[in-house]
Amino acid sequence: MTDLTTTLAAFATGPLSTTQQARLVASLSALDWLAVGRAGAQEPVSRVLRDMVLEEGGHPHARLFGYGAAPLRAAALVNGTVSHALDYDDTHFAHIGHPSVAVFPAALAMAEWHEHPLVDLLEAALVGMELSIRVGLWLGRGHYQIGFHQTATAGAFGAAAAAGRLAGLSAEQMHMALGLTATQATGLKTQFGTMGKPYNAGIAAAAGVEAVQLIQRGFVANPDALEGPFGFGATHHGAQDASAALDGLGDEWLFETVSHKFHACCHGLHAALEAARSLDIAEPEVAELKVRTHPRWMSVCNQPAPETGLGAKFSYRTVLAMSALGHDTARLDSYTDAICADPRLNSLRGRITVEADDGLSETQAHLSLLRRDGARREAEYDLQAPMSLSTREERVRAKAAKLIGHQMADEVWSMLRTGGQAADFAARLHTGEE
């Protein structure tokens, strides 16, 4: 047995020393995950996956977003896909992935079936999300750049860790489960822009659950398939030095720096929108606005003049013009075809220019505003800048309220902070719509 998987398996099954911040951030991500999942429950991809598994039938082990229940593996598949359908879930930039949408569906299915208390669900999800980040760091940027979607690949190992912890796997069994997951973890960036992208999150969650269920039944696999010869790292363009990925594991929680989305658009636009908040841009005052961003985003979210609401989510000029006109960029219903046709918006985005600056990181943006009175103001924002826990809580709860209503958001948050059963949390996946 090699060091990486041994260490990860011991971490996933052993006693934890969590920080207050890590626990609070995990609770906020649980609220955020449920909110974006409920909001996306009737998206076309959500209906396709849910209809498929409900038609297949089987034991109703765990609830699905929207309505219905399904076997554990199928529930994880559906709920992972649904919660990523809007692409409005949290992101961790250290491994370029979305931790919650791969891990929470696997953890919740197992916790609901085994009748765990909510505190066990949150602890297991935190372990799984941390492990997925560590695996993502080990795989490295080359793994992502070659075309693999780390939400799906690294996320599958996090899903297995969370599900296995709740299922009571021993360290040796967890080692085997991670090895088995290595032969299932998959997901390609070529699916971006299609239903295949959220499906990647679903298959990661399902792969983790399936591996755990098989190991529980005595299935035998190569426990070194993650890092050994011809293993996942070697065959998927992954880095081979595990020291940096394992540094501080168990004491330092990288998940604490997860980034929650506070705007319903491409994450590449968020630093610019946050910088705009500090400038307090209002449309009548804007003579010229210049945006500098990392070159990576120029081909991702720099559509100059989109005509659809979907296109607006990938346009610096459009979202900044929307913000200046007073539209709430956190709301899903702000992004419409009508907005893109608004003469005031078109006039304003004609005064906005976007430039690449390789001196900025991928999480930074710089804005330069020339007001009509001749005054010039500048602002810069980094999505990795520390955010106080109180501010993060306020903004995540406000986002959830916009997606699922104040009453439901407050009810779920109270449950997460005071305890209860995982089944009570799972019951909130149902929206009453069929």
Side-chain angles (χ1 to χ4, degrees), residues 12 29 31-32 39 52 56 60 71 90 118-119 166-167 179 193 219 221 243 312 315 332 376 389 411 427 429:
S29 282
L31 171 62
D32 188 71
M52 181 188 75
E56 287 179 341
D90 60 20
L118 192 50
V119 65
L166 289 162
F219 194 96
S243 58
S315 170
L332 298 171
R376 186 175 293 278
L389 285 177
E411 178 183 303
L429 271 62

Side-chain angles (χ1 to χ4, degrees), residues 188-345:
L188 300 176
K189 287 163 58 182
T190 190
Q191 296 295 346
F192 286 14
T194 75
M195 290 182 180
K197 185 175 191 285
Y199 178 67
N200 282 348
I203 58 178
V209 169
E210 181 174 314
V212 168
Q213 288 184 291
L214 288 172
I215 297 304
Q216 281 186 300
R217 288 163 171 76
F219 194 96
V220 177
N222 181 358
D224 294 332
L226 176 58
E227 59 187 308
F230 301 107
F232 191 85
T235 58
H236 287 69
H237 209 80
Q240 298 304 304
D241 183 5
S243 58
L246 296 177
D247 186 35
L249 181 66
D251 297 316
E252 178 185 358
W253 292 86
L254 300 183
F255 181 71
E256 291 179 358
T257 58
V258 73
S259 180
H260 294 100
K261 283 190 171 184
F262 299 121
H263 307 278
C265 56
C266 177
H267 222 151
L269 305 174
H270 288 213
L273 283 166
E274 292 297 317
R277 279 165 54 93
S278 65
L279 284 179
D280 193 23
I281 296 174
E283 186 275 334
E285 302 170 355
V286 179
E288 182 181 88
L289 180 64
K290 291 184 179 180
V291 183
R292 289 191 286 117
T293 185
H294 187 274
R296 174 192 175 200
W297 300 116
M298 297 297 285
S299 62
V300 176
C301 49
N302 189 34
Q303 294 187 26
E307 298 180 354
T308 67
L310 179 59
K313 294 184 177 186
F314 298 90
S315 170
Y316 281 103
R317 299 171 72 209
T318 303
V319 297
L320 288 168
M322 288 170 60
S323 179
L325 288 167
H327 297 287
D328 189 348
T329 53
R331 294 186 61 89
L332 298 171
D333 55 10
S334 293
Y335 301 83
T336 65
D337 296 358
I339 285 291
C340 294
D342 182 352
R344 290 193 306 156
L345 183 137

Side-chain angles (χ1 to χ4, degrees), residues 96-225:
I96 328 171
H98 300 260
S100 290
V101 292
V103 175
F104 268 116
L108 182 57
M110 196 66 71
E112 183 180 3
W113 175 240
H114 286 283
E115 299 182 343
H116 278 282
L118 192 50
V119 65
D120 288 357
L121 165 65
L122 291 172
E123 182 179 273
L126 176 57
V127 166
M129 292 184 290
E130 182 71 17
L131 188 143
S132 73
I133 293 166
R134 301 292 182 145
V135 171
L137 283 172
W138 173 69
L139 289 171
R141 184 166 292 274
H143 174 75
Y144 182 83
Q145 299 291 29
I146 202 76
F148 293 108
H149 185 194
Q150 287 190 201
T151 298
T153 55
F157 297 100
R165 186 177 183 89
L166 289 162
L169 295 191
S170 66
E172 184 178 6
Q173 287 176 311
M174 183 67 80
H175 195 126
M176 188 79 72
L178 294 173
L180 181 56
T181 301
T183 207
Q184 299 189 82
T186 186
L188 300 176
K189 287 163 58 182
T190 190
Q191 296 295 346
F192 286 14
T194 75
M195 290 182 180
K197 185 175 191 285
Y199 178 67
N200 282 348
I203 58 178
V209 169
E210 181 174 314
V212 168
Q213 288 184 291
L214 288 172
I215 297 304
Q216 281 186 300
R217 288 163 171 76
F219 194 96
V220 177
N222 181 358
D224 294 332

